Amino acid sequence: MTEDRNMRVLIINTSERTGGAAIAASRLMEALKACGIKTKMLVRDKQTDRITVVELKKSWRHIWNFVWERFIIWKENHFKKRHLFAVDIANTGTNITSLPEFRQADVIHLHWINQGMLSLKNIQDILKSDKPVVWTMHDMWPITGICHHAETCTNYTTCCHDCPALYKGHKTDLSYRVFKKKQKLYKDANITFIACSQWLEKLARQSALAKDHFITDIPNPINTNLFRPLNKMEMRKMLHLPADKKLLMFSSMKISDKRKGIDYLAEACRLIKEKRPDFCNTLGVIVMGKQAQQFESLFPFPIYCIDYVKSEKDIANIYNAADLFVTPSLMENLPNTIMEAMSCGVPCIGFNIGGIPQMIDHLHNGYVAQYKSAEDLANGICWSLNEGNYNSLCEQARRKVVNTYSEQIVAMKYIQIYNKITGKNA
């Protein structure tokens, strides 16, 4: 099968660069373009000057859409703020079917379209256009009623109701009503669901919403020429980081988000100090993200705070300054951060959750710790830096990304899907 170089694809995501889904969608656009596919990206929030990224016309309605959706959720939640941003109902958005970018496209490729980008009615209009739709799932929202992560709830496998994300959920609550709307919307629709991880693909196959649709998994792509191994000492000198310490790295756009698990990393570090005081003296932690300074007191050894960085080149430099990347996240699909670190030849440690064990091959290119175990996280740090063959871990981390997540490999998998659903070059 060969790619159709005349094919036009429109990628749709709420933001161009903010959040993991935006970064993944943006990277996919570049990967497809590199393979000769005419690709544009439609966003509500544009952050760069790339001409292939089209921003919806600025309007006060975008703000109103966002506020109105939150108000409905807040009201349904008995005016409690609990889980106000953990759910979306897609009751507001913008009709994009009259835009030239939409009309010219052969394939409409949805990504993360929440918080006022597209409503369920807008998605219905897209489906009515008879253009084939690919929907890359960056979380569970497309296959549940309203939540982005179902956690232990399995209602989505039959029909959402009594939603644990709502205050006093009930039989016909908001999750039930939106689930029913999605069910009607998806029925007989030409949608191909793509999960970013095998974990999410498995959940999608269990969902009553997606069961009659084609479902597969394709990972997010990464530019392995940009994220590549560099001289560690040079990077540390440039970033004013110590040359004589083993540096762990933790990164999150929102460090205070409990789901990102910084408390587990801090506890693991305290355990290392308690059990391995000699080793503890050689350690330091790079914490990258907004307001990183407020977490300094959590750690028993020096932390080096770096504010949120936008430039991918700068981010790659920071990874290269680290010895280990630790992601104690409690909820993940296929984290870009792990992929970025591994592409730079930095071994990773993470919990056995979501797509993490698909990325980190235990004791081969990193360490997969028992879920929510700070003790095993500490074991992983000590093993990776002391007992394991560190140079081999670095080499295998880089090799895994080059062979699995590089732009061309991922782009070709999507092109095969596009060819199949459009009937071109099949």
Side-chain angles (χ1 to χ4, degrees):
M1 184 183 288
T2 58
E3 67 269 28
D4 179 357
R5 293 181 180 272
N6 296 312
M7 187 181 290
R8 292 176 183 267
V9 175
L10 181 63
I11 287 174
I12 302 172
N13 199 77
T14 301
S15 170
E16 178 190 3
R17 296 292 307 164
T18 304
I23 291 167
S26 194
R27 287 176 179 171
L28 178 61
M29 176 183 69
E30 297 300 335
L32 290 168
K33 280 159 54 182
C35 289
I37 302 296
K38 294 180 174 68
T39 312
K40 287 189 176 180
M41 186 172 173
L42 179 67
V43 299
R44 187 193 67 193
D45 306 323
K46 184 174 177 176
Q47 283 95 18
T48 74
D49 56 2
R50 290 185 295 178
I51 58 171
T52 50
V53 179
V54 180
E55 187 175 36
L56 289 177
K57 193 175 177 183
K58 288 286 186 190
S59 167
W60 61 268
R61 281 193 61 190
H62 295 159
I63 298 167
W64 170 247
N65 286 349
F66 176 79
V67 172
W68 178 243
E69 183 179 26
R70 292 310 115 188
F71 175 77
I72 298 295
I73 296 165
W74 184 52
K75 180 173 173 286
E76 183 79 11
N77 230 2
H78 294 259
F79 303 102
K80 306 272 193 244
K81 288 184 179 178
R82 176 178 172 268
H83 295 314
L84 186 58
F85 291 94
V87 301
D88 276 294
I89 59 176
N91 64 331
T92 61
T94 302
N95 186 342
I96 64 167
T97 56
S98 61
L99 297 176
E101 292 80 14
F102 181 90
R103 292 202 305 267
Q104 292 162 7
D106 298 299
V107 175
I108 306 302
H109 193 153
L110 306 180
H111 284 257
W112 202 89
I113 47 77
N114 297 114
Q115 296 190 357
M117 177 70 189
L118 295 180
S119 67
L120 294 180
K121 173 69 171 64
N122 300 148
I123 296 171
Q124 184 180 46
D125 291 335
I126 291 169
L127 293 169
K128 278 182 179 175
S129 74
D130 285 334
K131 290 181 185 284
V133 173
V134 173
W135 197 340
T136 293
M137 298 181 288
H138 295 277
D139 57 33
M140 291 182 69
W141 189 83
I143 57 165
T144 68
I146 60 175
C147 72
H148 290 278
H149 295 282
E151 299 186 39
T152 56
C153 176
T154 58
N155 288 345
Y156 70 95
T157 62
T158 51
C159 180
C160 286
H161 61 90
D162 294 296
C163 182
L166 293 173
Y167 183 76
K168 294 184 179 177
H170 53 86
K171 201 173 183 179
T172 57
D173 61 16
L174 197 58
S175 71
Y176 171 83
R177 299 197 298 274
V178 177
F179 188 95
K180 285 296 183 183
K181 285 179 184 175
K182 285 184 178 177
Q183 204 165 39
K184 188 177 178 183
L185 179 67
Y186 294 176
K187 191 176 186 298
D188 302 323
N190 186 5
I191 307 176
T192 299
F193 288 103
I194 311 287
C196 294
S197 66
Q198 294 163 5
W199 164 79
L200 189 54
E201 181 194 5
K202 183 180 176 185
L203 296 180
R205 291 188 184 282
Q206 294 169 4
S207 168
L209 288 174
K211 66 177 182 181
D212 294 326
H213 295 274
F214 180 78
I215 304 165
T216 189
D217 78 286
I218 300 176
N220 299 327
I222 188 168
N223 183 339
T224 53
N225 294 320
L226 177 60
F227 288 91
R228 69 187 196 280
L230 300 170
N231 185 288
K232 201 173 293 298
M233 288 304 121
E234 284 180 17
M235 292 305 106
R236 290 191 182 186
K237 187 176 179 181
M238 185 176 76
L239 294 162
H240 309 291
L241 293 168
D244 60 344
K245 286 193 178 292
K246 298 288 186 184
L247 295 180
L248 315 178
M249 182 178 167
F250 172 90
S251 168
S252 174
M253 261 187 69
K254 192 177 178 184
I255 298 170
S256 58
D257 185 344
K258 291 290 184 186
R259 293 173 300 179
K260 295 302 176 183
I262 194 168
D263 292 337
Y264 286 92
L265 175 57
E267 177 61 21
C269 291
R270 285 194 290 271
L271 288 169
I272 291 171
K273 184 181 181 184
E274 186 184 304
K275 297 176 180 178
R276 301 279 299 271
D278 53 328
F279 178 47
C280 176
N281 293 333
T282 68
L283 292 176
V285 185
I286 301 169
V287 179
M288 186 171 79
K290 289 177 181 174
Q291 301 173 322
Q293 287 81 2
Q294 65 182 320
F295 296 92
E296 281 187 83
S297 60
L298 289 178
F299 292 89
F301 37 76
I303 82 163
Y304 308 93
C305 301
I306 299 176
D307 202 1
Y308 180 68
V309 176
K310 288 184 179 178
S311 160
E312 290 196 325
K313 184 175 181 296
D314 292 341
I315 293 171
N317 291 344
I318 297 165
Y319 283 119
N320 271 286
D323 292 289
L324 275 183
F325 183 78
V326 186
T327 178
S329 188
L330 306 180
M331 211 179 283
E332 282 294 355
N333 183 8
L334 198 84
N336 290 324
T337 50
I338 289 181
M339 196 181 294
E340 290 163 358
M342 289 175 66
S343 192
C344 293
V346 178
C348 296
I349 300 173
F351 285 139
N352 189 2
I353 188 71
I356 290 176
Q358 178 185 339
M359 304 177 85
I360 303 173
D361 301 313
H362 187 52
L363 306 183
H364 184 66
N365 56 32
Y367 191 99
V368 179
Q370 294 165 29
Y371 187 53
K372 288 188 175 180
S373 170
E375 188 173 358
D376 203 25
L377 211 58
N379 290 341
I381 293 168
C382 293
W383 180 85
S384 300
L385 294 175
N386 293 326
E387 288 95 60
N389 183 333
Y390 181 75
N391 289 336
S392 175
L393 290 177
C394 296
E395 289 168 13
Q396 293 302 331
R398 169 70 178 174
R399 186 171 295 156
K400 172 75 177 269
V401 174
V402 169
N403 292 340
T404 313
Y405 307 123
S406 61
E407 285 184 324
Q408 186 172 21
I409 287 172
V410 174
M412 289 309 297
K413 288 184 177 180
Y414 270 110
I415 290 166
Q416 286 178 353
I417 295 285
Y418 299 154
N419 285 339
K420 180 182 175 184
I421 63 179
T422 59
K424 295 183 180 182
N425 297 334

